[in-house]
Amino acid sequence: MDPVIIVGAGPVGLTLALALARQEVPSVVLDEGPGKDELRLARSVVLREDTVALVERLTGLPLDDAGFRWAGWRSMRRKQVMREITFDGQGSGGAEGTNGAAGSRGAGTAWGEGPRGAAAARATGVSRGAEGPADGEEFTAPLHIAQHALTGALREAIIHERLVKVAVHSRLDSVEQDTSGITAHTRGPNGTWWRGSYLVGCDGPRSTVRKLQDIRFPGRTAVERHAVAALRTELPWPGEALLHRMTPWRTSGPSTGEVSARPLAEDVWRLDWLLPPGKDLVTPDLLVARIRETLGGWSGGTTPAYELLDTGVHTVHHRLARRWRAGRVFLAGDAAHLLGALGTQGLDEGLRDADNLAWKLGLAWHHGRPHKTLLDSYQAERRAVVAARLRAADQALPLLRSGGGLRAYVPGSARGHDALLTDGHLGRGPLGAPGAYADSPLTPPPAESHAPVDTEPGAPVVDVRVTAEDGSFVPLRERLGRGVLLVVLIAPGTGVWERKHWVTAGVMPRLAAAVTALPHPAELLVAESYPGAAAHTVLLVRPDGHLVTALGGVRPADLYEAAEATLGGPAEAEATAEATAGRR
């Protein structure tokens, strides 16, 4: 089989190439540039827990070394601290009516801690705001990382990957497909023809792949605009990210009075000022004046020393491609969708695109024939999730950006607005949480043995500790992304014994036989517990970490039927089994 052609060498394209290589699928990455990235501290991304785990799993590198874990999060309105969240495992506190532009020291905050202390730890905390406890949810601190550092980690991993070829200075100008594959032509110093099995456009908002396939890209332009500055300085809340709305000081030039500050390593901060609608020019003098008055407002009127490192203007668009698949051609990342208003992060969704598509392309590639339902499910699942995220943002935008009016005087409205923005920035709720594939065409039919757990079918599984087949104890996420299904038995008490002592006891032999008989390779794992699961519950998990089903006890027929559905249906599952048997 010919390799998969990936157009675009940004984070999404490189992630897809590594994800395919993990499943022994070769790929060619067409890089329009020279193969290295410009160092821009004003271009940074915030990654959630699941996407950090994905990149670390593929690169083998700890991203914390290149990025920065926030010590906490606080939001302010005028001089009032609306909400404080810490990620130090001690809970968090907030006080209604707190005075002072910099806030005050609340219970459990990281006030006065160095930026490389608690911020670097993968700790969890509970959100509390002025209205009292939130939902009690625990979550890991987001990782803030410069985009060139993220891309650099992916490029470093690809250097050592024999199944990935990167072709630099290769700009795509034509694509033709037939029943057996794809032919693509690139121009430039290394212009040539390429032959591939599939082609994935990860080539950004102005995607050549999307245009060549005549796929429409409707949506809204300039939903939000931000003036951006990266600078080295000291702020009153080391390591904590801040969103400050209705700032009490006078602003220089056009402004909405909303600014965010997000820390990076080595005392570097990225500051974003939300600009009003329009095309007002952000001049260097205006930006410097904005920096000085913002830093002074946060520091009691005296502007602290700072070093300006980088600047820019970030414009947020909301667009969604009509189709994400055209035969053997697929779209992913910014080529398929643009989002990012209200603190949401588009790159997270692009990396999830790559994770979703990789195992499906891997299965189709190894078996030498299209798996229509399986490959169609990429668009059905991912487009629905991103569309829901865009709808949530579009519905919240008028409420949050209306400029006041009667809504500003409705009791509790400020706290409600703050909660929405916090969700976007921290990756929670409809604005930020990883999506579930509830209506996926790969969803198996209801089974009588279905057992309820806290994770709904189609949602990402919880990263519990499991015992692998070699007897090692590992996080569940470490077993993802290899193209195999995961079968997880919930068996309390097994964690205190080596696997060899119980692997032949109880239900294990029968379950192991059922796993061996599945229509696709699967790994049998054992966990002591899982949220909401009773003893002897069996979970079937997709290669990208989404739950297929939970069954009460060992039910080989139900497990087989669910695995069939996950592969796209019985007919395709039979073809998969034949091909797998042939390889063995």
Side-chain angles (χ1 to χ4, degrees):
M1 281 282 285
D2 295 314
V4 174
I5 300 173
I6 300 171
V7 183
V12 175
L14 299 175
T15 296
L16 178 60
L18 288 171
L20 289 170
R22 191 173 170 91
Q23 298 171 63
E24 296 296 317
V25 177
S27 63
V28 174
V29 181
L30 303 182
D31 187 351
E32 186 176 322
K36 56 184 179 181
D37 301 281
E38 184 182 6
L39 305 184
R40 292 289 310 277
L41 289 173
R43 292 191 64 191
S44 60
V45 294
V46 179
L47 299 181
R48 318 306 185 196
E49 182 182 2
D50 62 315
T51 50
V52 170
L54 167 63
V55 175
E56 289 185 337
R57 188 167 66 241
L58 295 175
T59 63
L61 300 173
L63 285 189
D64 284 23
D65 292 348
F68 191 84
R69 293 278 185 178
W70 297 343
W73 163 269
R74 66 174 55 210
S75 57
M76 298 177 63
R77 185 172 181 264
R78 295 189 177 94
K79 295 184 179 182
Q80 179 184 3
V81 175
M82 302 294 294
R83 177 172 300 208
E84 294 181 60
I85 298 171
T86 57
F87 304 109
D88 60 2
Q90 303 300 317
S92 61
E96 189 168 9
T98 301
N99 292 320
S104 68
R105 187 172 183 174
T109 67
W111 192 274
E113 295 178 354
R116 285 172 292 279
R122 294 169 178 258
T124 60
V126 179
S127 170
R128 296 178 187 263
E131 69 278 15
D135 54 10
E137 177 189 8
E138 293 191 354
F139 52 95
T140 302
L143 179 73
H144 189 201
I145 184 171
Q147 186 163 314
H148 68 259
L150 173 62
T151 308
L154 293 165
R155 289 188 187 277
E156 178 66 24
I158 280 178
I159 289 174
H160 307 288
E161 181 48 68
R162 62 181 176 81
L163 291 174
V164 180
K165 173 182 175 62
V166 179
V168 298
H169 299 296
S170 298
R171 183 172 184 176
L172 182 75
D173 62 8
S174 71
V175 173
E176 297 177 2
Q177 58 177 306
D178 51 53
T179 56
S180 61
I182 290 278
T183 301
H185 184 264
T186 55
R187 55 188 173 91
N190 302 317
T192 186
W193 291 94
W194 300 89
R195 183 66 179 174
S197 53
Y198 299 93
L199 184 144
V200 185
C202 305
D203 48 344
R206 297 180 176 86
S207 171
T208 300
V209 174
R210 188 184 64 241
K211 294 172 183 176
L212 289 173
Q213 298 303 305
D214 196 25
I215 297 174
R216 294 184 59 201
F217 198 38
R220 301 171 58 194
T221 300
V223 176
E224 288 185 351
R225 292 174 66 239
H226 298 261
V228 183
L231 47 90
R232 182 174 285 109
T233 190
E234 291 186 5
L235 295 182
W237 42 86
E240 291 187 19
L242 167 79
L243 176 67
H244 197 162
R245 304 179 68 213
M246 298 184 180
T247 52
W249 54 81
R250 180 183 60 84
T251 58
S252 299
S255 172
T256 64
E258 178 174 312
V259 57
S260 63
R262 290 173 282 190
L264 284 162
E266 299 178 349
D267 295 327
V268 174
W269 294 79
R270 170 174 166 168
L271 273 60
D272 289 61
W273 293 267
L274 179 64
L275 299 172
K279 298 181 179 179
D280 300 282
L281 184 63
V282 181
T283 66
D285 288 343
L286 280 175
L287 187 57
V288 169
R290 187 75 57 80
I291 292 170
R292 293 182 62 82
E293 67 187 11
T294 300
L295 297 183
W298 286 336
S299 303
T302 302
T303 302
Y306 69 92
E307 178 186 1
L308 184 58
L309 304 172
D310 193 14
T311 63
V313 174
H314 174 54
T315 303
V316 176
H317 309 287
H318 277 183
R319 294 188 179 276
L320 186 65
R322 292 288 192 195
R323 294 180 292 141
W324 291 26
R325 181 189 182 192
R328 291 178 174 267
V329 176
F330 299 83
L331 300 177
D334 286 351
H337 51 77
L338 294 175
L339 67 163
L342 308 179
T344 58
Q345 292 290 321
L347 182 57
D348 264 328
E349 296 300 346
L351 296 178
R352 290 167 187 151
D353 293 345
D355 198 23
N356 183 289
L357 182 58
W359 72 273
K360 298 171 182 178
L361 282 180
L363 196 150
W365 189 91
H366 277 297
H367 304 310
R369 68 189 74 182
H371 284 58
K372 187 178 186 307
T373 303
L374 183 67
L375 295 181
D376 282 347
S377 72
Y378 165 67
Q379 172 178 307
E381 292 175 348
R382 292 299 308 147
R383 191 177 187 278
V385 165
V386 176
R389 184 92 73 235
L390 285 169
R391 281 194 301 271
D394 285 343
Q395 290 168 1
L397 272 166
L399 181 69
L400 293 167
R401 305 303 190 209
S402 61
L406 291 176
R407 290 190 183 97
Y409 299 95
V410 175
S413 63
R415 290 192 293 270
H417 296 180
D418 174 77
L420 281 170
L421 288 167
T422 297
D423 283 349
H425 281 275
L426 297 185
R428 305 186 303 171
L431 287 179
Y437 307 140
D439 299 319
S440 169
L442 305 183
T443 301
E448 289 186 5
S449 61
H450 174 74
V453 297
D454 287 355
T455 302
E456 292 295 323
V461 293
V462 178
D463 190 25
V464 297
R465 190 182 79 154
V466 297
T467 306
E469 290 183 344
D470 62 2
S472 60
F473 296 100
V474 296
L476 178 56
R477 281 202 180 107
E478 285 192 9
R479 311 308 296 173
L480 301 175
R482 296 172 297 119
V484 302
L485 300 172
L486 302 180
V487 178
V488 184
L489 171 67
I490 310 306
T494 52
V496 299
W497 302 96
E498 292 186 27
R499 184 163 176 144
K500 65 181 181 181
H501 294 304
W502 45 259
V503 71
T504 58
V507 301
M508 282 295 292
R510 186 164 178 242
L511 181 57
V515 170
T516 302
L518 291 179
H520 187 71
E523 181 179 13
L524 176 56
L525 306 169
V526 179
E528 275 205 279
S529 63
Y530 188 89
H536 292 173
T537 298
V538 175
L539 311 178
L540 179 62
V541 182
R542 297 176 6 162
D544 58 356
H546 287 254
L547 180 67
V548 177
T549 189
L551 304 174
V554 180
R555 305 296 180 95
D558 290 346
L559 189 64
Y560 189 97
E561 184 178 28
E564 268 189 340
T566 305
L567 301 175
E572 292 181 353
E574 291 171 7
T576 300
E578 292 173 4
T580 302
R583 289 206 312 275
R584 292 173 180 170

